[in-house]
Amino acid sequence: MSRWWCGMTARGERGALDATATAQLTRPPLARPDLASRFDICGGGDDGAYDAVRAFADRSLPAPKVEAGAWTLFEDRPGKPGWTARGPGNASIEFDLGTVGARTRAGTNLSAGRPRDVQVRSTHVARKGGGARRLGTAQARTARARVFVTFVRSYESFGDAVARILIRGAAVETTILRGLHETRDTQADTVVLTVSRPSMKPGDPLALRLETLSEAKVKILHVTVCQK
């Protein structure tokens, strides 16, 4: 009974957080228009987003396709659902992100539905040739699409997965989601994969494929795409 009550309370709190986040995201920007125009920023909204909390509560929502192995949407802890793989490596799952050129508005709504005690540690952009750059710079304007992947990291039990952006079924951008970190806590981390203009043509199918690299657990909380 107590477990049921805690779960219902957590769902109520997440609903209130969703409403607060949506209200904040729909506010007009504080920056002057001449400054805001220098940055490539997606607006708020939920179009094109896969959110584990909402998908767990409403199984009629679009679901990713399991390509191989065992990926399951479930709560490994009460009130904390996610698309989770645990078992032999090479388990793969694919998130359909629509087509190139489709208008999406979900890129900034990464906090909606996230459990209160799972916090985002950092946000970085993966790019070819290694290294990472911070979001919020005018350099982001060179990208046609950014794919945001929010996953769980911890000090034990979690493993790595390779994330690939696919255009017409071919990988055009790849990075590794690292499941372990040194601090003794469990947090959500967000990786952003960016696809450049030469790689894309309007109408091309766009997808994200994730593949585990070991038997350790991998847990995905949120996937969304932002196109401008």
Side-chain angles (χ1 to χ4, degrees), residues 1 5 7-8 62 171 228:
M1 184 67 178
W5 177 254
M8 293 298 293
K228 293 293 286 185

Side-chain angles (χ1 to χ4, degrees), residues 133-148:
R133 57 181 171 82
R134 299 293 298 181
L135 291 179
T137 69
Q139 293 177 344
R141 297 185 64 183
T142 62
R144 282 287 299 274
R146 287 169 287 165
V147 177
F148 298 73

Side-chain angles (χ1 to χ4, degrees), residues 81-99:
W83 288 279
T84 305
R86 170 177 272 172
N90 302 318
S92 63
I93 188 171
E94 186 169 307
F95 294 81
D96 181 2
L97 302 178
T99 60

Side-chain angles (χ1 to χ4, degrees), residues 170-193:
V172 296
E173 188 66 62
T174 302
T175 193
I176 302 296
L177 309 183
R178 301 293 183 186
L180 293 179
H181 59 202
E182 295 181 357
T183 57
R184 295 188 63 81
D185 56 18
T186 300
Q187 298 189 10
D189 197 1
T190 298
V191 166
V192 186
L193 294 95

Side-chain angles (χ1 to χ4, degrees), residues 130-170:
R133 57 181 171 82
R134 299 293 298 181
L135 291 179
T137 69
Q139 293 177 344
R141 297 185 64 183
T142 62
R144 282 287 299 274
R146 287 169 287 165
V147 177
F148 298 73
V149 185
T150 302
F151 63 106
V152 176
R153 302 186 71 190
S154 189
Y155 56 95
E156 62 179 2
S157 301
F158 284 83
D160 300 342
V162 58
R164 297 183 178 94
I165 296 181
L166 308 179
I167 296 180
R168 301 184 301 277

